[in-house]
Amino acid sequence: MVVAAVLLGVAILIGLVLLADGKELLHTAAAIEPAALVEPLFFSFLSYVVMAASYRGIATAAGYGLPLWTWVRITLVSNTVNYIVTTAGISGFAVRMLLLGQQGVPSGRAVLISLAQTFITNFTLLAFCLAAFVSLLTRQQLHGGALVAATTLLVLFAAVLIYGLVLVLHRPLRRVTLVFIANATHRLLARMAPRWTPNRFRMWRFQGNLDQGFQFLLARKDRMVGPTLWICLDWVLTIGILWAAFRAVNHPLPPGVVLVGFGIGLFVSLVSFVPGGLGLLEGSMTAVFVSMGVPLEASVVAVLIFRLCYHVIPLLLSLFFFHGIVRQALARSAPARG
């Protein structure tokens, strides 16, 4: 199933290139000044540092103040493993547990730290996606079925955000919801990717840890303000990578337009089973930008620059500097899924 998903992603990437005008695509790529790539790379570097700072803030609130550089290393390696072995984020989660254990952080605390950061990250991401759909609708560029689909997704995102807030405050409803999600996720993974499916005991233990993670957030809500601001800044910087990529191809876009393409593209990649959203992220982002009047060739090159700066180069750096840790993490992530 995973191999088929990867092949689908590669096919989409090839399709994007074939749909574009070959000469114009090469001209757009050749016109990029090497110095123009410094900006998206710099935003990417800052994004990972800020992401690490959010982890550090949550860990400090839990009583484990590890150095920022340690968190940068953990963030790079766990994300790298997650790109290589995609199992709904479980591989990256397992690797963070391994690396935090090496730093003397008890497994229970390591789980809570990771879950707290993951919840805040996904919650703020939903807020950015909601803003993207609001921006898309207010531009009045959609009609017919596209307008209905965007409106439906807008309502869905708003409902999920509201329900998330309710779950934080209402523990009985949260427990029922988490059990339902754990069982439904297990059934879905068992059908679509049985090789990568954790057993039911691990899923139930995971949902129990999620409940403790919510309690952890509530007990330290005042100390979560800083990490939440770091996470919001991280998303702003990540959007900035795409914004800078369009500047690099000499087709600058307003931040609001970039937000729309980024939000929709990232949402599509997150709900897919393709490792790193390969192909689906590029295809959905490109489709959104083209629908808003951006040339296909400029969209394709800019989105590929985003992929290169945010995923490929950090992955290569992680493999180069921390190859021993990555090998160990990959070896440990397999039994962690069993």
Side-chain angles (χ1 to χ4, degrees), residues 108-127:
R109 276 292 183 227
V111 168
L112 293 181
I113 292 168
S114 190
L115 286 176
Q117 202 275 350
T118 300
F119 173 78
I120 298 174
T121 295
N122 290 332
F123 191 81
T124 53
L125 173 61
L126 284 175

Side-chain angles (χ1 to χ4, degrees), residues 53-54 57-58 61 120 124 216-217 220-233:
S54 70
I58 295 172
I120 298 174
T124 53
F216 174 84
L217 288 172
R220 297 164 176 80
K221 53 183 178 293
D222 293 340
R223 303 188 67 180
M224 291 299 110
V225 174
T228 301
L229 293 176
W230 282 123
I231 290 170
C232 290
L233 178 58

Side-chain angles (χ1 to χ4, degrees), residues 7-333:
L7 291 176
L8 172 63
V10 172
I12 293 174
L13 281 177
I14 295 173
L16 286 176
V17 175
L18 293 177
L19 283 173
D21 183 289
K23 290 184 178 179
E24 184 62 28
L25 194 65
L26 290 175
H27 175 74
T28 301
I32 299 174
E33 295 289 340
L37 297 176
V38 173
E39 192 174 30
L41 283 171
F42 181 65
F43 280 131
S44 180
F45 169 76
L46 286 181
S47 173
Y48 278 92
V49 172
V50 167
M51 190 190 310
S54 70
Y55 275 112
R56 184 173 184 267
I58 295 172
T60 301
Y64 294 91
L66 302 177
L68 179 61
W69 168 245
T70 298
W71 277 110
V72 171
R73 185 186 66 184
I74 291 172
T75 301
L76 270 175
V77 173
S78 61
N79 283 0
T80 294
V81 173
N82 225 34
Y83 299 148
I84 298 173
V85 185
T86 298
T87 52
I90 294 176
S91 294
F93 184 87
V95 170
R96 278 194 294 274
M97 300 306 99
L98 166 67
L99 298 180
L100 286 174
Q102 293 176 347
Q103 297 296 322
V105 180
S107 60
R109 276 292 183 227
V111 168
L112 293 181
I113 292 168
S114 190
L115 286 176
Q117 202 275 350
T118 300
F119 173 78
I120 298 174
T121 295
N122 290 332
F123 191 81
T124 53
L125 173 61
L126 284 175
F128 275 94
C129 289
L130 180 65
F133 280 106
V134 170
S135 177
L136 185 62
L137 289 173
T138 55
R139 290 177 183 277
Q140 299 181 344
Q141 293 179 315
L142 299 178
H143 306 281
L147 179 62
V148 173
T151 303
T152 302
L153 288 172
L154 176 63
V155 173
L156 175 63
F157 277 122
V160 170
L161 282 170
I162 294 171
Y163 193 68
L165 288 173
V166 172
L167 291 183
V168 171
L169 301 173
H170 196 284
R171 192 171 191 183
L173 178 61
R174 182 169 73 238
R175 286 178 168 174
V176 171
T177 301
L178 291 177
V179 170
F180 172 79
I181 292 175
N183 291 331
T185 302
H186 185 272
R187 286 195 297 268
L188 180 63
L189 288 174
R191 286 189 176 187
M192 301 193 68
R195 181 182 176 186
W196 310 101
T197 304
N199 59 46
R200 284 188 180 274
F201 175 75
R202 287 186 179 276
M203 295 294 292
W204 290 335
R205 187 173 64 181
F206 185 75
Q207 65 87 19
N209 288 331
L210 274 175
D211 183 57
Q212 293 180 35
F214 279 109
Q215 291 302 110
F216 174 84
L217 288 172
L218 287 173
R220 297 164 176 80
K221 53 183 178 293
D222 293 340
R223 303 188 67 180
M224 291 299 110
V225 174
T228 301
L229 293 176
W230 282 123
I231 290 170
C232 290
L233 178 58
D234 176 30
W235 285 123
V236 171
L237 289 168
T238 307
I239 296 169
I241 300 170
L242 188 57
W243 174 79
F246 275 101
R247 284 166 52 87
V249 298
N250 300 307
H251 198 95
L253 295 178
V257 174
V258 177
L259 174 63
V260 172
F262 173 84
I264 295 175
L266 204 62
F267 170 74
V268 171
S269 68
L270 286 176
V271 299
S272 73
F273 282 90
V274 181
L278 179 67
L280 295 178
L281 181 144
E282 290 85 354
S284 56
M285 280 188 179
T286 299
V288 172
F289 289 127
V290 170
S291 71
M292 292 189 290
V294 182
L296 173 60
E297 293 74 21
S299 299
V300 170
V301 176
V303 170
L304 289 178
I305 291 175
F306 172 81
R307 169 71 79 179
L308 178 72
C309 293
Y310 190 60
H311 292 123
V312 177
I313 292 179
L315 186 151
L316 294 176
L317 287 174
S318 180
L319 291 174
F320 180 78
F321 288 108
F322 311 118
H323 57 277
I325 298 175
V326 172
R327 281 202 307 268
Q328 182 184 7
L330 283 170
R332 289 288 297 271
S333 67

